[in-house]
Amino acid sequence: MSERIQAPRGTFDVLGDDALARDALVEAARRVLEPAGYGRIETPTFEATALFARGVGESTDVVQKEMYTFDAGESESLTLRPEGTAPVCRAYLEHGMHKLPQPVKLWYLSSFFRRERPQKGRFRQFWQIGVEAIGSDDPAVDAEAILLLAEILEAAGVQARLRISSLGMPLNRLRYRDKLQQYLRDNAARLSPDVVARIELNPLRAFDSDDPGTRTVMAGAPRLLDALDREDAEHFAAVLGLLDAADLPYDVDTTLVRGLDYYTRTVCEFTSSDLGAQSGVGGGGRYDGLIEQIGGPPTPGMGWAAGVERILLAGSLARTAAPPLDLFVAYAKPELRAAAFRLAADARRAGHAARLELAGRSLKGQLKQADRAGARYVAILDDEGTSLKDMETGAQQQVETGTVMHHIAQGTL
Ligand code: HAM
């Protein structure tokens, strides 16, 4: 035998109960998002590499180390999407969605790809449910989107804490960045080498470090939230006021750092202690500069994405049961297969859940199989004609093949 080929590291197959739980989650998300005006969008699995380099940011881990990039010939470089915000913004521009009433609200359920070290809750291909609301900088857009994620998490039985902060607009952030860089340089001796190496490129990531020395230094570092200008501070206060109005609890967390560069103003993350190291169930924020970064006019946007696997790990979503089976069609000998096939197909066309014996079992084996599958009725085709068995009462009688559907529908046997 030749060597067995396995699924690539960091990937998984979705089977059985897990598949049912995913369906239940997607249904729960749809029930929350669509009444709030979010329409479904699906974008391609791969995009021009430049979209992520410019959109997500050259200095991010995602772009520097985690992208699956390939040469597609004709000097075109493509990348399996590591996230959904830049692609949705690209689609917004490409389809002239600025002409629609703003904000345009879109949601997606898609798989994403990041070459990360696999561990519990961290995969190389994973799924996200996400939303993007593009075209308005109203704080109510932020608050509404966050509230919808809270509702989905609640429906999925996830206990999560909402952390929220504001990064302000880029100019303000630049001023703050200078201040922080100066502080980091002054304290470089007490920082871990990787934080020191990133002082110029991405000083904010220092807040993310696990290194004890760095953590002590960062506890005294200047905070972005204290450096916001008036408009940004007012925007943030309005978002918090709306969350209060909706009774959604949150912690303002000045250390909140997101791994993607496009954020402006509001950033948020839901974390769950049931997840171990990968505690982020979902997160997002406002990205008022992203569309300009990818070649469009200045256009504000806000969104979030939540990891499907992490929600299922942390949550307690009731599995939707497989639909009940109305009819199992059994037949006594191969010559009756076509008639049995026809009966099962007719029953499905009439709207019943119907299955046919497909593995050449003996009649006894077929009845056992029908029982295992939870069939309500079994039609048995043999030389005498068709008989119908009620699996609940055990009653069985000879019927005209053409009346099987009538008996099932009426429950008359
Ligand atoms: P993100 O924080 O990179 O944001 O990912 C969002 C969520 O996806 C995380 O909270 C986590 O649940 C899940 N996730 C991320 N990486 C992995 C992985 N390797 N394995 C399993 N789950 C993972 C974004 O992607 C932004 N596009 C969110 C956003 C939308 N911001 C604005 N709009």
Side-chain angles (χ1 to χ4, degrees):
M1 251 194 297
S2 49
E3 198 189 332
R4 204 137 45 102
I5 297 170
Q6 299 195 321
R9 207 163 106 80
T11 69
F12 51 84
D13 301 305
V14 178
L15 301 166
D17 272 1
D18 200 26
L20 293 175
R22 275 167 188 265
D23 286 349
L25 173 57
V26 174
E27 257 326 293
R30 191 189 301 279
R31 272 199 303 273
V32 171
L33 299 175
E34 296 199 338
Y38 281 82
R40 180 72 190 267
I41 183 169
E42 198 49 68
T43 59
T45 304
F46 50 82
E47 297 270 0
T49 302
L51 175 67
F52 302 112
R54 273 155 61 186
V56 174
E58 293 280 8
S59 72
T60 60
D61 278 353
V62 169
V63 170
Q64 285 203 339
K65 329 190 247 214
E66 296 169 3
M67 297 207 301
Y68 288 95
T69 295
F70 54 99
D71 178 357
E74 295 164 11
S75 69
E76 190 184 22
S77 173
L78 297 176
T79 292
L80 295 184
R81 57 183 171 197
E83 65 96 49
T85 309
V88 170
C89 288
R90 188 226 8 96
Y92 174 92
L93 281 175
E94 200 162 321
H95 299 280
M97 290 191 231
H98 63 280
K99 292 187 214 122
L100 302 173
Q102 306 292 300
V104 174
K105 295 157 119 186
L106 300 164
W107 78 279
Y108 48 87
L109 163 74
S110 318
S111 59
F112 296 91
F113 307 84
R114 295 183 193 175
R115 189 182 281 125
E116 295 192 82
R117 199 169 44 77
Q119 63 179 84
K120 184 181 169 197
R122 189 162 75 191
F123 305 96
R124 290 181 165 180
Q125 178 177 2
F126 57 97
W127 292 75
Q128 286 182 348
I129 292 171
V131 306
E132 311 297 346
I134 305 176
S136 165
D137 65 0
D138 194 311
V141 173
D142 309 39
E144 183 184 83
I146 294 169
L147 195 62
L148 295 174
L149 177 52
E151 280 177 27
I152 293 171
L153 295 177
E154 196 187 328
V158 176
Q159 305 273 345
R161 180 169 83 100
L162 167 60
R163 294 153 65 216
I164 188 164
S165 189
S166 175
L167 305 178
M169 290 303 271
L171 202 66
N172 185 53
R173 198 140 108 220
L174 275 181
R175 274 199 299 268
Y176 167 74
R177 196 183 145 104
D178 285 346
K179 216 158 112 185
L180 179 64
Q181 279 172 331
Q182 195 50 53
Y183 177 82
L184 293 174
R185 280 187 216 110
D186 292 347
N187 290 280
R190 294 192 291 144
L191 297 172
S192 75
D194 60 315
V195 169
V196 175
R198 284 219 242 199
I199 291 180
E200 302 311 319
L201 201 56
N202 200 346
L204 274 166
R205 291 303 293 273
F207 285 109
D208 238 2
S209 170
D210 302 328
D211 170 66
T214 305
R215 291 187 80 93
T216 315
V217 173
M218 296 321 287
R223 300 284 177 193
L224 179 50
L225 206 50
D226 302 324
L228 293 186
D229 68 20
R230 194 172 54 83
E231 269 183 44
D232 292 344
E234 280 173 9
H235 191 276
F236 188 50
V239 173
L240 297 185
L242 291 166
L243 295 180
D244 290 335
D247 290 327
L248 183 69
Y250 55 80
D251 295 324
V252 173
D253 185 344
T254 52
T255 66
L256 182 58
V257 182
R258 305 265 312 134
L260 312 164
D261 266 1
Y262 46 62
Y263 293 111
T264 54
R265 294 189 159 172
T266 312
V267 281
C268 68
E269 198 154 274
F270 283 85
T271 51
S272 163
S273 52
D274 299 326
L275 279 174
Q278 299 305 312
S279 63
V281 208
R286 184 161 275 292
Y287 44 88
D288 293 347
L290 171 56
I291 291 198
E292 240 178 314
Q293 287 286 316
I294 61 170
T299 312
M302 159 79 204
W304 50 256
V308 168
E309 294 74 33
R310 292 192 193 170
I311 293 179
L312 294 176
L313 265 173
S316 57
L317 202 73
R319 271 64 174 145
T320 37
L325 181 60
D326 302 320
L327 178 69
F328 187 92
V329 183
Y331 55 97
K333 55 184 196 185
E335 292 75 24
L336 293 167
R337 179 190 287 121
F341 185 86
R342 168 89 195 250
L343 177 56
D346 284 348
R348 281 195 294 266
R349 279 194 206 108
H352 301 294
R355 270 185 240 166
L356 169 74
E357 166 59 22
L358 289 174
R361 290 180 184 83
S362 67
L363 195 52
K364 198 167 145 214
Q366 294 182 47
L367 292 175
K368 220 157 126 191
Q369 178 61 16
D371 190 41
R372 251 199 311 256
R376 178 74 177 76
Y377 292 94
V378 184
I380 304 157
L381 277 58
D382 59 18
D383 285 335
E384 318 287 295
T386 302
S387 58
L388 192 62
K389 180 170 181 178
D390 183 330
M391 298 293 276
E392 240 170 63
T393 63
Q396 180 168 347
Q397 77 182 48
Q398 202 75 20
V399 297
E400 285 295 322
T401 311
T403 66
V404 166
M405 251 74 80
H406 173 77
H407 284 294
I408 297 177
Q410 304 294 318
T412 50
L413 206 61

